[in-house]
């Protein structure tokens, strides 16, 4: 198994070059979501895979400022779900957890296949909903920008984005979020 390899290779790259989206690729990603674990096997995730040229261009209207790099996406995966489709155990609401896991499975698979799959929160759910006819009772949880990584820096990127392209942004030290046998302490 090479899971760690995919985890390490995954990057939120922003310099993208187009590639042709084939149905086989979409099906492959969907299969990865399909077999993900979920509370009571509720499988609360729903996705719209947007790759038709006109629709993709329309999706640009819903992107927030700073995400212009995503205009080069070959596909945008719209991550959808709702609370009622998964476990709610007292105050523990699981749909976003399960949908996040299914989406990460797709992101890692896309990485393994040599593509970039970059999740973003910078978009208008309202505009996305309108463009894709998404019902009001579904949350538009995230978009995943899919493309092929380009070594040529996209000129719309900010200085920070260019720096992040070259080097993975700093992470917290493991000791700051991992505890052994008891919360807190050293
Ligand atoms: C929920 C979520 C929302 C994000 N939103 C954006 C975004 O709107 N625009 C963007 O350029 N990157 C976005 N990112 C990417 C992060 O900035 C990126 O993952 C982080 O800087 C770490 O870089 P790395 O993934 O290459 O290790 C988002 C990532 C996640 C998981």
């Amino acid at each position: 198994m090479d899971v760690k390899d995919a985890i390490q290779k995954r990057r939120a790259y922003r310099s993208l070059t187009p590639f042709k989206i084939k149905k086989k690729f979409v099906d492959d990603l969907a299969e990865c979501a399909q077999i993900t674990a979920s509370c009571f096997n509720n499988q609360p995730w729903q996705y719209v895979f947007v790759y038709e040229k006109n629709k993709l261009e329309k999706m640009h209207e819903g992107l927030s400022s700073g995400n212009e790099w995503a205009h080069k996406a070959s596909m945008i995966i719209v991550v959808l779900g709702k609370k009622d489709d998964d476990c709610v155990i007292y105050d523990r609401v699981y749909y976003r957890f399960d949908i996040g896991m299914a989406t990460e499975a797709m992101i890692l698979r896309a990485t393994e296949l040599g593509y970039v799959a970059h999740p973003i929160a910078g978009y208008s759910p309202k505009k996305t909903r309108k463009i894709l006819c998404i019902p009001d009772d579904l949350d538009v949880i995230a978009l995943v920008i899919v493309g092929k990584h380009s070594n040529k820096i996209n000129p719309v990127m900010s200085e920070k984005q260019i720096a992040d392209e070259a080097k993975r942004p700093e992470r917290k030290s493991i000791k700051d979020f991992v505890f052994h046998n008891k919360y807190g302490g050293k």
Side-chain angles (χ1 to χ4, degrees):
M1 284 210 243
D2 293 320
V3 179
K4 188 138 187 198
D5 200 29
I7 291 169
Q8 278 167 339
K9 285 213 174 93
R10 185 214 58 78
R11 284 292 323 277
Y13 289 121
R14 297 180 177 87
S15 288
L16 306 176
T17 187
F19 74 101
K20 174 117 187 78
I21 300 293
K22 298 197 172 133
K23 181 166 181 300
K24 203 171 148 211
F25 176 54
V26 175
D27 290 346
D28 190 328
L29 298 185
E31 280 161 24
C32 294
Q34 184 182 35
I35 58 175
T36 295
S38 60
C39 188
F40 264 92
N41 195 24
N42 279 328
Q43 305 162 67
W45 43 80
Q46 295 186 54
Y47 299 99
V48 183
F49 291 86
V50 183
Y51 49 90
E52 193 261 322
K53 193 169 177 287
N54 294 340
K55 266 288 156 62
L56 259 184
E57 277 171 15
K58 197 91 189 113
M59 288 290 286
H60 299 171
E61 291 169 22
L63 294 171
S64 305
S65 148
N67 279 337
E68 290 79 7
W69 58 268
H71 293 184
K72 294 259 187 233
S74 302
M75 176 162 77
I76 298 178
I77 307 173
V78 183
V79 182
L80 304 170
K82 61 171 185 267
K83 184 178 167 184
D84 295 351
D85 282 349
D86 206 355
C87 300
V88 179
I89 305 169
Y90 300 106
D91 60 346
R92 287 179 284 139
V93 176
Y94 279 97
Y95 74 117
R96 286 200 172 90
F97 179 84
D98 290 351
I99 294 169
M101 292 211 299
T103 305
E104 177 70 350
M106 294 204 292
I107 290 172
L108 291 178
R109 177 61 175 153
T111 305
E112 180 179 46
L113 293 172
Y115 302 110
V116 175
H118 178 156
I120 64 164
Y123 59 89
S124 156
K126 200 172 158 196
K127 286 184 189 159
T128 308
R129 194 183 291 292
K130 191 152 179 247
I131 294 162
L132 302 176
C133 310
I134 296 163
D136 284 343
D137 66 338
L138 278 174
D139 298 346
V140 183
I141 296 170
L143 305 183
V144 181
I145 307 301
V146 180
K148 184 115 186 130
H149 186 215
S150 167
N151 291 326
K152 251 180 81 185
I153 293 290
N154 186 331
V156 302
M157 284 161 59
S158 67
E159 266 178 43
K160 161 97 171 63
Q161 289 175 333
I162 293 170
D164 287 354
E165 194 81 354
K167 188 174 172 291
R168 191 191 290 281
E170 281 299 317
R171 294 304 205 255
K172 289 180 183 172
S173 155
I174 286 177
K175 69 171 173 33
D176 292 336
F177 66 92
V178 171
F179 308 104
H180 291 257
N181 305 310
K182 173 177 170 289
Y183 185 83
K186 299 272 171 215

